[in-house]
Amino acid sequence: MRSVWRFLASSYLVAIASTLLLAMVLCAVFVPIMSAHDAHEMDWSALEQPPTFDHWFGTDLVGRDLLVRTMEGGRVSFTVALIAVTVSLFIGIPWGATAGFVGGKTDQIMMRIVDGIYCLPGILIVILLVVVFGRNQYLLFAALGAISWLTIARIVRGQTLRLRNAPFIDAARSLGAGTGHILLRHVIPNVIGPIVVYTTLAIPGVILAESFISFLGLGIQEPDTSWGVLVSDGTQTMESSPWLLIFPGGCLAVTIWCLNTLGDRLRDLLDNRETRPSS
Amino acid sequence: MKTYVVKRLFFAGVTFFVIVTSVFFLLRLAPGGPFDGERRLPAEIEANLKAAYDLDAPLIVQYGKFMANLAQGDLGPSFKQKDFSVNELIAAGLPTSAALGITAFVLALMMGLGIGITAGLQPGSVVDSVVMGLSNLNIAVPTIVAAPMMVLVFSVTLSLFPAGGADSALHFVLPTVALAIPLSAEIARIMRGSIAEVSHEPHVKTARSKGLSTSRIVLRHMMPIACIPLISFLAPAAAGLLVGSVVVEQIFDLPGIGRYYVAALSRDYTLVMGVTIVYAFAILLFNFIVDLSYGLVDPRIRVET
């Protein structure tokens, strides 16, 4: 816990990014509950209104409060991140650990598959999946996870290879531990650091992918909303009411920036620790 | 080197085959057909339609026919846009998409290399922090936000460029820049890191102490090593560019093949297949070239595999 605080206080960039991100998450959770307005409530006396004291972000074409809608969109983005990243961990960690630990032909085949998928435009695969199975948002989240496990698998494999011949693994094996047990109890706990770092770096990618798909009209559907949907709507009306584009787009950009900054810093920290000569 | 090339080629071929096959079966297994319109067709007419498009044959026969046609470069008729074959539709859109993609790629490479090398040669300087701060910002502002903002500023407010369409070269300026900027920011970050790392290598210090000019040191002594991380980034970069181009074509109303992808919702099986095949082919071809240049730059790779 103390090392977490030390990390957060390590530079002003990290401090700013983590504060902003926390604020964004808290707003997404609490603003829709606490606001006087509802995301679907239409105020016919305030159509397409610029930001006012009553509607901080202004209102959209049918008089819905943009602040509440933007934060509802934020909920979608954070949910996407949570579900997709969980899916990617559930596929990526076992895949990478098995490939790295078993080695040989198995490793080659498994990593060739990863290489093959890696060079495909993942979002287009998700679009195909959405087309085929209909626009179910949980399926969309899972599909996003299913394309973002590749990096995790690669990282875990690399780390596992490094650990495979470590003395404590040999010790566990000589005590009669099976492969599954060794992977679960000895290998994976030792690769948690890199997994955390690359998960942080994967989240912005997933959030971006969801907003791309929703922007194209293939993701979240009205009356539900997400940042991609809001930006897409904002694009239609940006000449007469630019705030409909600027606020949701700004929230999206800020969130991505925070996550990227935190991920980069965590990676630097990890790299330093690994290249430091072991005592 | 020869076995290396053959191996990569074989791998690309297998990947292509797997992609085409899985997309074919995925789309056919999907619920709902191309003729399930709002108006229910009489059973006989629907049967005739299906027969005309070979939809009544067993799946495996359809697959065989499709692959046989594909081998001859024929992608079949479009299910939705009558009178057009998929080949014609793609031929109509591909030049636009290819022009957009290639110019954006070259632009991104030039900007990214220039910025990355400049920043990497003087890490910690003001130039470095400004440039890297900007590129972090560029990565964070997604195309779906940045591109409309560009239209707002340069087309609506300043009226410098047209907002949409593809009538002249001027129409391509904004889309190309919108597509290139995020990619160039990534390239700049990667180059900055590897240039900064390489500049501590002994052989670079030797070159410097011999009094060689900076440009010669960068080009002859640093680049061959520093560009390896960049090369391995190029394959996913090309994939990202493709995805970006779907969005950019939509925003700037360019008649490329990206918009056919969104038409996928209308279950135009053959058209979606066609576009996917073109995309997969482009990506695999590009990867193959990247792999070859990898082997050329780093001799260890062609020996190993």
Side-chain angles (χ1 to χ4, degrees), chain B:
Chain B
M1 192 66 193
K2 207 170 176 184
T3 44
Y4 176 72
V5 173
V6 172
K7 255 187 174 170
R8 301 314 305 184
L9 206 56
F10 174 75
F11 181 56
V14 170
T15 315
F16 185 67
F17 178 76
V18 171
I19 293 170
V20 172
T21 305
S22 38
V23 172
F24 178 89
F25 284 105
L26 199 65
L27 285 175
R28 296 301 159 108
L29 290 177
F35 306 116
D36 302 353
E38 276 145 32
R39 203 158 44 106
R40 197 87 200 112
L41 293 168
E44 306 86 53
I45 296 183
E46 197 175 327
N48 277 339
L49 266 175
K50 284 197 166 169
Y53 287 111
D54 281 334
L55 284 174
D56 54 352
L59 209 54
I60 193 77
V61 176
Q62 291 183 30
Y63 174 68
K65 271 196 179 151
F66 179 82
M67 287 311 254
N69 285 338
L70 180 62
Q72 297 165 10
D74 179 11
L75 295 164
S78 164
F79 275 180
K80 284 281 155 159
Q81 310 199 31
K82 294 169 199 83
D83 309 332
F84 285 104
S85 74
V86 174
N87 287 47
E88 285 164 353
L89 287 171
I90 288 179
L94 193 58
T96 308
S97 293
L100 177 66
I102 293 170
T103 40
F105 188 74
V106 172
L107 183 67
L109 210 55
M110 287 188 330
M111 291 200 301
L113 282 177
I115 295 170
I117 292 173
T118 315
L121 284 176
Q122 33 190 333
S125 68
V126 179
V127 180
D128 180 35
S129 10
V130 169
V131 162
M132 284 302 118
L134 277 180
S135 75
N136 273 338
L137 207 65
N138 272 333
I139 294 172
V141 181
T143 316
I144 58 168
V145 179
M149 295 297 273
M150 283 167 63
V151 174
L152 195 58
V153 174
F154 294 106
S155 303
V156 178
T157 313
L158 300 175
S159 328
L160 286 177
F161 298 103
D167 303 328
S168 71
L170 214 55
H171 286 82
F172 278 89
V173 174
L174 285 185
T176 309
V177 174
L179 196 54
I181 279 183
L183 186 59
S184 72
E186 292 269 7
I187 293 176
R189 267 160 54 109
I190 293 173
M191 275 322 282
R192 180 205 170 265
S194 52
I195 285 282
E197 208 165 289
V198 172
S199 52
H200 297 303
E201 295 278 326
H203 77 274
V204 174
K205 282 184 182 157
T206 312
R208 202 168 281 146
S209 59
K210 279 197 298 188
L212 295 183
S213 67
T214 312
S215 59
R216 198 179 161 82
I217 296 176
V218 170
L219 286 178
R220 295 291 296 273
H221 297 273
M222 293 167 98
M223 279 305 279
I225 308 174
C227 70
I228 290 174
L230 180 67
I231 292 178
S232 62
F233 168 72
L234 287 182
L241 206 59
L242 260 180
V243 173
S245 72
V246 174
V247 173
V248 166
E249 280 176 20
Q250 178 102 344
I251 293 173
F252 292 97
D253 199 21
L254 288 176
I257 58 173
R259 68 207 159 117
Y260 297 145
Y261 232 86
V262 185
L265 279 177
S266 63
R267 305 198 179 286
D268 196 337
Y269 291 149
T270 41
L271 186 57
V272 176
M273 283 293 295
V275 179
T276 308
I277 288 169
V278 171
Y279 277 167
F281 187 78
I283 291 272
L284 289 172
L285 181 72
F286 185 78
N287 279 347
F288 179 64
I289 297 170
V290 166
D291 277 338
L292 289 193
S293 56
Y294 231 153
L296 285 179
V297 173
D298 189 352
R300 284 171 302 180
I301 288 169
R302 60 172 181 254
V303 176
E304 251 174 45
T305 41

Side-chain angles (χ1 to χ4, degrees), chain A residues 160-173:
Chain A
T160 310
L161 273 181
R162 208 170 48 98
L163 286 175
R164 192 162 70 165
N165 298 318
F168 72 95
I169 301 283
D170 284 341
R173 198 178 285 132

Side-chain angles (χ1 to χ4, degrees), chain A residues 28-279:
Chain A
V29 173
F30 289 110
V31 166
I33 304 174
M34 299 187 4
S35 168
H37 305 285
D38 181 83
H40 307 305
E41 164 206 292
M42 300 174 194
D43 183 350
W44 297 105
S45 63
L47 299 181
E48 213 179 342
Q49 214 176 43
T52 57
F53 193 69
D54 188 28
H55 301 285
W56 289 3
F57 281 10
T59 58
D60 68 6
L61 295 181
V62 289
R64 291 176 295 196
D65 183 76
L66 187 63
L67 175 66
V68 174
R69 286 186 72 73
T70 304
M71 291 311 155
E72 288 271 353
R75 285 185 173 192
V76 172
S77 286
F78 291 120
T79 317
V80 165
L82 207 67
I83 296 181
V85 162
T86 313
V87 171
S88 75
L89 290 179
F90 267 103
I91 308 176
I93 295 177
W95 191 281
T98 312
F101 199 75
V102 177
K105 269 266 179 294
T106 319
D107 178 31
Q108 271 202 349
I109 293 172
M110 287 176 93
M111 292 328 281
R112 272 278 174 260
I113 294 175
V114 170
D115 289 346
I117 308 177
Y118 195 70
C119 64
L120 298 177
I123 295 188
L124 299 189
I125 300 175
V126 175
I127 293 180
L128 279 183
L129 286 175
V130 171
V131 169
V132 171
F133 295 107
R135 299 180 214 176
N136 174 329
Q137 62 181 27
Y138 290 99
L139 179 95
L140 171 65
F141 300 168
L144 286 171
I147 57 161
S148 57
W149 58 276
L150 303 166
T151 317
I152 299 286
R154 282 188 168 174
I155 300 293
V156 172
R157 171 184 174 267
Q159 298 287 323
T160 310
L161 273 181
R162 208 170 48 98
L163 286 175
R164 192 162 70 165
N165 298 318
F168 72 95
I169 301 283
D170 284 341
R173 198 178 285 132
S174 64
L175 284 171
T179 306
H181 178 86
I182 295 179
L183 281 179
L184 221 55
R185 297 301 292 272
H186 299 289
V187 174
I188 291 175
N190 276 296
V191 298
I192 284 293
I195 290 175
V196 170
V197 171
Y198 284 91
T199 305
T200 317
L201 286 170
I203 292 174
V206 175
I207 292 180
L208 272 183
E210 186 277 325
S211 56
F212 262 59
I213 290 169
S214 292
F215 181 86
L216 293 174
L218 299 169
I220 308 291
Q221 299 288 311
E222 284 277 347
D224 289 330
T225 196
S226 83
W227 283 339
V229 175
L230 289 170
V231 169
S232 173
D233 292 348
T235 312
Q236 307 297 322
T237 55
M238 63 184 178
E239 290 172 40
S240 54
S241 38
W243 61 89
L244 288 176
L245 171 63
I246 291 169
F247 284 116
C251 286
L252 176 59
V254 166
T255 307
I256 303 285
W257 178 82
C258 292
L259 286 163
N260 275 338
T261 307
L262 288 178
D264 279 350
R265 289 295 154 138
L266 278 173
R267 181 170 50 189
D268 290 348
L269 207 70
L270 192 80
D271 282 351
N272 284 341
R273 194 190 296 164
E274 272 178 8
T275 47
R276 202 186 298 156
S278 49
S279 46

